[in-house]
Amino acid sequence: MGEVHVVNGNYSAAEAVKAVDVDVIAAYPITPQTPVVEYLSEFVANGELDAEFIHVESEHSAISAVVGASATGVRVFTATASQGLALMHEVLFIASGMRLPIVMTVANRALSAPINIWCDHSDTMAQRDTSWIQLYCESNQEIYDTVIQAYRIAENEDVLLPVMVCYDGFTLSHTLEPVEFEPEDEIREFVGEFEPIHCKLDPEEPMTLGPVGGPDSYMEFKKMQHEAMKEALKVIPEVNSEFEKRFGRSYGDGLIEPYNVDDADVVIIAMGSVCGTIKHVIDEHRSDVGLIKVKAFRPFPGDDIRRLIEGKDAVVTIDRAHSYGSMPPLWTDVKAHAPDVEVSSTIAGLGGRDIRVEDILEVIEVAEKGEGTDEPVWINVNV
Amino acid sequence: MKYTVGAVIKEPGSTRRNKTGSWRIFRPVLDHEACVHCGRCYMYCPDGCISLDPEKGYVIDYDYCKGCGICAKVCPVDAIEMVLEED
Amino acid sequence: MIEVRIHGRGGQGAVTAAEILAIAAKEDGKYSQAFPFFGVERRGAPVQAFARISDHFIRVRCQIYEPDHVVVLDPSLVGTVNVVKGLKEDGVVVVNAREEEMNHLSEELGDYDVYYVDATSIALDELGVPIVNTAMVGAYVRATGTVSLDAVKDAIRMRFPGEIGEKNVSAAERAYEEVKEL
Ligand code: SF4
Ligand code: SF4
């Protein structure tokens, strides 16, 4: 049995990183992720975590340092948000292309301009195509559990892809709530010792990493990355159910978490902490509504979502990001997998705009009226 | 070709198998009589394919020489001539 | 579910007060949430912090618009900020104020159930600094019974280990004893 502590989401992330016994951490502080870096450097400084903490001068260096460290065959961690994630952009492709099992947490935050430190998903959505697995969290407990599972997923022989664990800035990162921390020896047993599989930089046994892949080979490596993503669709549920057997907690099948969908006429598809508010609305106001919480955005469990929404009266997505000039990302992915289902699109909660109970009720109304199917409906906006 | 996960190459030095000499259009020919053993060509060759042989003096490894002509350019006594490869 | 809004000024410990309430709720076997008003905190500027306490896991994650209870750490905020905004009809206000201040404060606080305590004097006596958050949590739990005083004491000790914790426990205990209903 674990022990319950009342902590914020950043602390949940740091505690999980400590529990999996990470070897190398390199991170640069940025609001709202900063406390993760502070907690971890404290753990290392006071001896609670035996790891190398590399102090870097930017996020570009942070991700570069963990790429290098991971290539030497050790377990690594980094964390960032917003502009920091954007600065990492070019190296994210290198991490996934080299198939390094890096785990990174992102405290989701909007991007400038205008300057904004509050939550939306623009930062991680902009990294959608970097071939990183993306898992989104609804609660601080889910952050802790997901970071632990992320190492099992990333290090799986059939996957070997980096994982981004995304959680909403402030709404989770700075909110305290009870979280059950499991005994560290049990977590370490669950994740196991890290054994490098496909590469290990070692002067005794030299090998070449990051070589040129010309027109004769580049595409093959890229297709292999896609296939590894498809493998992750199988591995994520396996890790989720193994975690459940051991610790008693699970999040749907690890990819999506349906809530009241079977009994629902209207289905909302959403990601992150707003799913909690949606469940609250279903419980308190609208038992005829269901929710599909998309936990894994990459790989995208599109077929599972399609099966759940086929035949429903109304379906609506809530995006906390937008693809300007087209339709927002979650809607686009759902439609790509369910072209025959009418799906309404809403945009809410950009730049930390609170998504209130009344906003969720409005989202349901948009779906019921069949609006937003070819142009997103902006919720609680004044222009 | 074997496509390894992450494009990892486990055999060290395998790049030697890539004989870049095939890219050459002009071939540097070193006149040992004229050479004053200054070592400039050896220092400047971007491919490191000029070496000092104790008996023959400076020699060019044509397996890897790309024919860039830098050695001929830097030689102070014009001991290296670039000649068109026959085929 | 009980929703609490705490008004203070940057540096008075409104966020810590919400955190202590959330930790205390867990000590009482309840579920809780505590969060700041998400923004940039500046010393002296009016700030807010929030707590939710329930017998069940709390799923709702939007801000609190219709609190059950309001705690005011600084009497000068009453009138400057609408501290009773959205407060439920049967809501409770617990304010840090001296008895003589209550005449004019009571006008602003309307028909609500109002409790007051001179938390500034208690904090100066017990801690030597005018940081009133722990005293006000003591007064708040006496006024509302949302969580137990014992749980609050445990939470304070967890948040501030050692001597400083004991001083804050004394402040909470004194405010618990001294709080009065208007
Ligand atoms: S031609 Fe260029 S590559 Fe060839 S030996 Fe001279 S310097 Fe080296
Ligand atoms: S640069 Fe000319 S002179 Fe000098 S070592 Fe080379 S060939 Fe001889």
Side-chain angles (χ1 to χ4, degrees), chain A residues 10 94 154 191 348:
Chain A
N10 284 327
I94 296 169
V191 290

Side-chain angles (χ1 to χ4, degrees), chain A residues 212-218 220-221 224, chain B residues 1-4 7 9 17:
Chain A
V212 173
D216 59 341
S217 62
Y218 184 86
E220 281 74 14
F221 292 117
M224 285 161 75
Chain B
M1 188 185 282
K2 191 169 163 258
Y3 301 104
T4 55
I9 301 167
R17 269 190 258 141

Side-chain angles (χ1 to χ4, degrees), chain A residues 4 6 117-118 138-140 170-172 174-178 259 273 276-277 279-280 283 354-357, chain C residues 1 19 22-24 26-27 30-36 38-40 57-65:
Chain A
V4 176
V6 179
I117 61 166
W118 295 271
E138 179 195 327
S139 67
N140 292 351
F170 293 105
T171 318
L172 294 180
H174 284 62
T175 293
L176 276 80
E177 62 182 8
Y259 187 80
S273 66
T277 307
K279 288 174 182 173
H280 171 83
D283 291 349
D354 197 24
I355 307 180
R356 307 158 300 178
V357 168
Chain C
M1 183 166 66
E19 290 179 8
I23 298 168
K26 179 238 147 189
E27 293 301 302
K30 293 180 180 173
Y31 291 90
S32 56
Q33 249 181 23
F35 51 99
F38 305 139
V40 189
F57 182 78
I58 301 160
R59 288 187 163 132
V60 65
R61 297 203 176 268
C62 54
Q63 289 173 28
I64 292 169
Y65 298 96

Side-chain angles (χ1 to χ4, degrees), chain A residues 114-173:
Chain A
I115 295 172
N116 184 293
I117 61 166
W118 295 271
C119 175
D120 70 29
H121 295 165
S122 312
D123 52 359
T124 46
M125 283 299 156
Q127 310 304 337
R128 183 189 66 178
D129 301 339
T130 55
S131 183
W132 280 58
I133 291 171
Q134 288 194 347
L135 305 173
Y136 288 77
C137 302
E138 179 195 327
S139 67
N140 292 351
Q141 183 73 59
E142 192 169 350
I143 297 171
Y144 174 79
D145 294 346
T146 306
V147 169
I148 291 162
Q149 294 182 32
Y151 282 95
R152 281 284 302 270
I153 296 161
E155 293 167 8
N156 184 289
E157 188 169 9
D158 298 325
V159 178
L160 287 173
L161 286 170
V163 179
M164 239 176 247
V165 177
C166 314
Y167 57 90
D168 290 346
F170 293 105
T171 318
L172 294 180
S173 72

Side-chain angles (χ1 to χ4, degrees), chain A residues 312-327:
Chain A
K312 293 296 181 191
D313 292 349
V315 179
V316 59
T317 54
I318 301 178
D319 268 280
R320 281 194 98 159
H322 191 31
S323 180
Y324 298 88
S326 182
M327 293 293 278

Side-chain angles (χ1 to χ4, degrees), chain A residues 269 300 302 305-306 309 315 317 327-345 372-374:
Chain A
I269 306 173
F300 193 72
I305 293 171
R306 178 181 47 75
I309 60 177
V315 179
T317 54
M327 293 293 278
L330 179 59
W331 182 91
T332 304
D333 269 313
V334 170
K335 276 302 275 187
H337 289 86
D340 300 331
V341 181
E342 281 284 294
V343 182
S344 299
S345 167
T373 53
D374 53 8

